[in-house]
């Protein structure tokens, strides 16, 4: 509805590749933000997993608070697993410019579509 909007002038140089990279990065960060929001809300609504997060430390999932309080409660090895999985997700698929992943299509057809016009609309 507003057309092209660039109030800070990031695209003033006219570099198309920089623009596409910024758009791809914005898609990725927006999706991560949505997942983080769901990760914060879901345990409040549905409860937490039963059992132990760290059996050796006697730490249950229920003992971990939501939000920033969890940063100091999750053991270092747990953070290593989280960072390892994030790294795997980053490098497991080619997201270079011109690939479907660069446009936000990771092959998960539940959220996108097999119909090219419908998929372009959703992406």
């Amino acid at each position: 509805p507003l057309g092209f909007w660039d109030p800070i002038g990031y695209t003033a140089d006219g570099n198309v590749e920089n623009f596409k990279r910024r758009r791809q990065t914005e898609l990725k960060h927006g999706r991560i933000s949505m997942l983080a929001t769901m990760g914060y809300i879901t345990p409040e609504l549905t409860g937490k997993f039963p059992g132990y997060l760290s059996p050796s430390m006697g730490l249950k999932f229920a003992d971990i608070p939501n939000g920033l309080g969890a940063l100091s409660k999750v053991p270092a090895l747990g953070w290593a697993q989280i960072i390892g999985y994030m790294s795997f997700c980053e490098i497991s698929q080619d997201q270079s410019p011109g690939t479907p992943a660069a446009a936000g299509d990771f092959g998960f057809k539940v959220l996108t579509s097999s119909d090219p016009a419908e998929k372009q609309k959703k992406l």
Side-chain angles (χ1 to χ4, degrees):
L2 298 174
F4 185 75
W5 189 65
D6 183 19
I8 300 177
Y10 281 129
T11 58
D13 63 356
N15 189 325
V16 175
E17 294 192 10
N18 282 344
F19 175 76
K20 288 182 179 181
R21 182 186 58 78
R22 287 186 186 110
R23 184 185 312 175
Q24 176 185 353
T25 304
E26 183 178 5
L27 276 173
K28 186 186 298 184
H29 290 169
R31 289 174 179 169
I32 290 170
S33 297
M34 288 185 272
L35 286 172
T37 301
M38 288 307 301
Y40 189 89
I41 295 171
T42 302
E44 292 286 332
L45 298 175
T46 63
K48 298 182 181 178
F49 289 125
Y52 287 88
L53 173 68
S54 175
S56 63
M57 295 178 68
L59 187 62
K60 295 182 178 183
F61 286 106
D63 298 335
I64 305 296
N66 286 353
L68 296 175
L71 293 174
S72 62
K73 304 292 184 199
V74 175
L77 192 55
W79 285 114
Q81 291 172 349
I82 292 169
I83 291 170
Y85 180 69
M86 288 170 38
S87 300
F88 168 75
C89 290
E90 278 293 315
I91 63 173
S92 65
Q93 189 166 12
D94 180 20
Q95 298 179 27
S96 57
T99 63
D105 182 8
F106 296 101
F108 189 61
K109 298 300 178 203
V110 172
L111 299 177
T112 61
S113 175
S114 296
D115 177 34
E118 182 70 18
K119 182 170 75 171
Q120 183 63 32
K121 178 180 150 191
K122 288 182 175 184
L123 292 176

